[in-house]
Each structure stands twice: as C-alpha cells, then as structure tokens.
Amino acid sequence: MFILPKKNTLDSYLSDDRYLKPAIERMRMKEPLQASDKELAHFRYNHVGFLHLENAEISKPLLWQLYYFHTKRILSIYYVLDEIRYLEGITKATRTKKEEEFKGQYLRGLWHKHFYSDMFFYRNIINYWEMEKKINSKLDKMIDEIFQSSKSDYITEEIINLIVYRLTDDPFRNKILRGTCTGEWIVFAKINNKNYYLVLGQHNDDENICKLIKCYCLTEYPELKTVIEEKTA
C-alpha cells in the first residue's frame, strides 16, 4: 500500500501549486489519497496514456501524482506522458522548451522538462509580454502599433478587440505552435544513458522537490544515491 502523509511532502506539496489555483480546492483532501501497489500497477498498464512507456522508469511518487490528477480530474495526464514519450525518443513532438539540467543548490545534477496544459496559458501570456516588468516596452509597443494603424482618435470597440486578439494570439503563435511553452516540471535523472522520471514539480520550490525525491525515490532507485546525495548535498 502506497500512502502519503496528510500534512507533509506530496499531499501538501500538490495542494500548494501557484499555477493550479483554480484546482486547489479540489486537490485538498481531508485524508490523503490511498492507492495500493495493485491499483497503481493496474493504472499504469491499463491506461492508454502510458502507451509505449512500458519500459520507462516512472517512479511510484510520479505514478501516484498522475493517478491523483487523473482520479480527481484536475489535469489530463496526457500532457505529462506525451513529454515523457518525447524524452524517451518515442515521439518527436513537444509543446515545451528543451529539457535543461538544474544548476541550483538543491537539484543540481537532476534535469527537468516542462509539461504544458491549457491552464498554464495565462502564464505563457504573462511571460511572452513580459508583464511582470515595471517598464513593459514589448506590450506598450504592440498597443502603440494598434493605435497608430487605427484611423480613429478615440478608443473604439475595434481597437479593444484587436488588443485582446493580439494579447492572446501572439503568444499562441510564438510559443505553443513553436513548442517553446512553459508550464510546470517533470523532474528526472539521467544515469547510464537512461532517464528516471521522479516527480512533478513547480517553479521556485527546489528544496521541497529535493526532500520529496530523497524521501520517496532513493529506496525505489538506489542508483540515484550518487546524484541525490552528492550533487545536491
């Protein structure tokens, strides 16, 4: 039986996701989701989403996370599994930026690949237009272009519609269609030319991700010890 604690690690970790705020209430549980090894195995080897991933090293915590998202209908697990298929060389399509190695204190030596969901679209809009910058020349330039091309001296419905259209369409064409979206992380290790998919993680939470991996993945994959305990020490 694989049971995660109620007030620590994975359960609280999943229910504190900045980019899944609309789903937070559905993710909070009075008791942690319990799944037996038999249930997790049935989920993995019978759900069509795992097609061609029979030999992929998917950890039990990551499998539990996918099971959680699937049973609670929070997120389509295809978003994650499609990226794993890409990393395994099974498919050539990806919607997100190229995988990168962590350089920070806690996850140095491990890797991450973004997975995209439509619920992350607004984050891609913010990133594309650099909305969090105090001086936003990119967004200002787009709005100026629209006003300059307009023959009206006033803000019209047409101008508003065009701004809204550009606000959403430009990021879509430049990020989603080109496969450079951001989202959240699939954290994995590379050992002897093989990928070990460990957990799903979120930005700016490296320390908790590291604790999660040390807590649940080392016993399942002893070969991770050199990466986890030495490079992230």
Side-chain angles (χ1 to χ4, degrees):
M1 177 77 73
F2 186 63
I3 304 176
L4 291 156
K6 177 181 178 182
K7 291 288 186 180
N8 199 3
T9 60
L10 193 56
D11 185 51
S12 60
Y13 176 79
L14 277 173
S15 61
D16 189 30
D17 193 321
R18 294 171 296 122
Y19 299 152
L20 295 177
K21 283 185 178 180
I24 285 177
E25 291 306 314
R26 283 183 291 164
M27 294 170 71
R28 297 187 187 279
M29 300 176 291
K30 293 181 179 180
E31 297 295 334
L33 181 67
Q34 298 184 8
S36 67
D37 290 342
K38 184 177 180 180
E39 288 172 317
L40 290 177
H42 183 272
F43 171 62
R44 173 169 182 176
Y45 294 107
N46 288 274
H47 193 291
V48 69
F50 290 90
L51 185 66
H52 302 310
L53 292 175
E54 294 82 1
N55 296 321
E57 292 291 350
I58 300 176
S59 76
K60 190 174 290 185
L62 175 52
L63 188 60
W64 186 93
Q65 288 176 307
L66 294 171
Y67 183 75
Y68 184 102
F69 284 130
H70 176 68
T71 55
K72 295 296 180 179
R73 298 186 178 183
I74 295 169
L75 175 76
S76 171
I77 64 173
Y78 290 96
Y79 290 121
V80 177
L81 297 174
D82 284 347
E83 296 300 336
I84 292 179
R85 264 185 286 274
Y86 170 80
L87 291 169
E88 289 291 294
I90 297 170
T91 62
K92 295 182 179 180
T94 178
R95 302 182 76 181
T96 62
K97 59 183 71 173
K98 186 175 175 60
E99 63 274 16
E100 295 179 348
E101 187 174 6
F102 287 106
K103 302 299 182 183
Q105 173 186 357
Y106 295 105
L107 298 175
R108 186 173 62 253
L110 297 175
W111 291 70
H112 67 281
K113 179 77 167 77
H114 285 85
F115 68 92
Y116 177 80
S117 164
D118 291 340
M119 67 176 66
F120 302 144
F121 186 44
Y122 87 94
R123 168 50 57 181
N124 283 273
I125 291 175
I126 291 172
N127 290 351
Y128 179 81
W129 292 113
E130 301 173 347
M131 291 181 175
E132 293 175 335
K133 289 187 176 181
K134 291 183 179 180
I135 300 177
N136 194 319
S137 59
K138 191 173 184 178
L139 183 59
D140 291 341
K141 183 179 179 181
M142 180 268 285
I143 295 175
D144 287 342
E145 288 175 356
I146 292 175
F147 273 99
Q148 289 174 11
S149 63
S150 172
K151 297 180 180 179
S152 174
D153 295 327
Y154 305 96
I155 298 177
T156 64
E157 183 177 350
E158 181 182 359
I159 290 175
I160 294 173
N161 289 339
L162 188 53
I163 290 174
V164 172
Y165 175 78
R166 287 284 306 277
L167 194 67
T168 56
D169 187 69
D170 284 17
F172 179 82
R173 293 184 182 279
N174 286 279
K175 293 183 74 69
I176 294 180
L177 296 183
R178 295 183 182 181
T180 59
C181 287
T182 188
E184 295 296 8
W185 294 338
I186 303 168
V187 181
F188 64 102
K190 292 185 178 184
I191 300 178
N192 297 326
N193 297 317
K194 188 172 183 62
N195 293 338
Y196 292 77
Y197 304 99
L198 305 177
V199 294
L200 301 181
Q202 65 186 47
H203 292 72
N204 304 316
D205 201 22
D206 294 16
E207 184 176 4
N208 283 328
I209 295 172
C210 182
K211 290 178 180 178
L212 187 64
I213 292 171
K214 286 183 176 180
C215 182
Y216 290 109
C217 296
L218 284 180
T219 54
E220 185 175 3
Y221 299 123
E223 54 268 48
L224 294 175
K225 189 173 182 179
T226 55
V227 176
I228 302 301
E229 295 190 346
E230 292 180 9
K231 292 186 177 180
T232 65

